Amino acid sequence: MEFNKYIDHTLLKPNALDKDIEKICNEAKQYNFKSVCVNPCYVKLAKKTLTGSDVLVCTVIGFPLGATTTKAKIEETKSAINDGADEIDMVINISRTKEHDYQYLEKEISSIKKVCGERTLKVILETCLLSDDEIVAACLASKNAGANFVKTSTGFSTGGATIHAVTLMRQTVGPEMGVKASGGVHNFQEAMAMITAGATRIGASSGVAIMKSLNK
């Protein structure tokens, strides 16, 4: 397996500097990761730094709370795509999900997918805040809305990816969709456990450390 191609090399800290973004982009080129995942204000810089490589630029929408309006998420997505984003990771409206308003959820995700077109859309569920039934319903809403992936976590809430959540998500969406495990994946063993459970992408800030551990 090309383990490096499972990795979205991630830096979403609010105090990240230009030099930090350039550093992770250069690391992503060195290890040929699938993508770098950065905040929207850094999409242009990441795109420029990654010129000449096949590393994709991924960005986050409605991050990290998911509580902005659908209209705001749509405009944020349009702006990110105009700046060069190849993949979009959007946070669902968690409050509406907890209210079991899955029609709202499906409609919002569908609206974002229309803007994305052929670009990959990953839907961040923030599984640590949801019950199993809510995770299943959010996965089904994402699938019905045409999303390409469901994703466990932002990494900014009360917990990250778990084997249980990844397994449940994979069982729900079937083989057609991707599952991204993100938040709290620190080493190769943890990453492989997520992949074994059904993850097809790993969001991590520790991608370089993981790759170095494989070469020892």
Side-chain angles (χ1 to χ4, degrees):
M1 63 179 293
E2 291 185 287
F3 179 77
N4 54 308
K5 285 301 186 183
Y6 279 79
I7 301 294
D8 287 349
H9 195 34
T10 303
L11 179 58
L12 295 168
K13 293 180 179 179
N15 58 341
L17 304 176
D18 287 3
K19 64 180 182 180
D20 302 319
I21 301 301
E22 291 168 345
K23 180 174 183 285
I24 69 159
C25 288
N26 288 324
E27 290 170 344
K29 287 193 289 186
Q30 179 183 351
Y31 291 97
N32 197 23
F33 290 138
K34 183 67 176 182
S35 82
V36 295
C37 187
V38 298
N39 280 307
C41 64
Y42 278 121
V43 168
K44 280 186 178 180
L45 177 59
K47 194 72 171 180
K48 178 182 177 182
T49 309
L50 291 168
T51 298
S53 77
D54 64 354
V55 179
L56 302 176
V57 177
C58 172
T59 195
V60 289
I61 299 298
F63 195 85
L65 300 179
T68 49
T69 64
T70 298
K71 183 177 180 180
K73 290 178 183 178
I74 288 171
E75 292 305 316
E76 192 176 18
T77 303
K78 288 179 180 178
S79 177
I81 290 171
N82 287 337
D83 285 346
D86 302 297
E87 298 192 337
I88 299 294
D89 289 17
M90 66 162 285
V91 188
I92 61 170
N93 188 307
I94 298 162
S95 297
R96 299 321 308 161
T97 306
K98 298 298 292 183
E99 293 282 1
H100 300 172
D101 188 356
Y102 303 123
Q103 186 176 4
Y104 178 100
L105 199 62
E106 186 174 329
K107 185 177 179 182
E108 179 170 89
I109 297 165
S110 178
S111 297
I112 303 299
K113 181 56 183 172
K114 286 178 183 176
V115 177
C116 291
E118 294 300 312
R119 293 172 182 82
T120 295
L121 173 63
K122 308 188 203 91
V123 179
I124 307 174
L125 307 186
E126 203 69 285
T127 53
C128 62
L129 301 180
L130 305 179
S131 68
D132 283 3
D133 287 346
E134 289 162 350
I135 291 171
V136 168
C139 283
L140 292 175
S142 301
K143 188 173 184 178
N144 292 340
N148 305 96
F149 275 75
V150 284
K151 174 178 171 180
T152 59
S153 322
T154 63
F156 284 76
S157 189
T158 58
T162 65
I163 298 298
H164 174 74
V166 170
T167 301
L168 182 59
M169 291 161 71
R170 172 54 67 201
Q171 289 172 346
T172 303
V173 301
E176 300 87 5
M177 289 180 69
V179 174
K180 179 174 173 179
S182 184
V185 181
H186 303 107
N187 56 53
F188 178 71
Q189 289 73 24
E190 290 174 351
M192 282 306 302
M194 295 296 175
I195 291 169
T196 301
T200 49
R201 197 81 68 88
I202 302 293
S205 58
S206 54
V208 171
I210 293 173
M211 295 303 295
K212 285 182 177 178
S213 73
L214 296 180
N215 297 324
K216 288 183 178 180

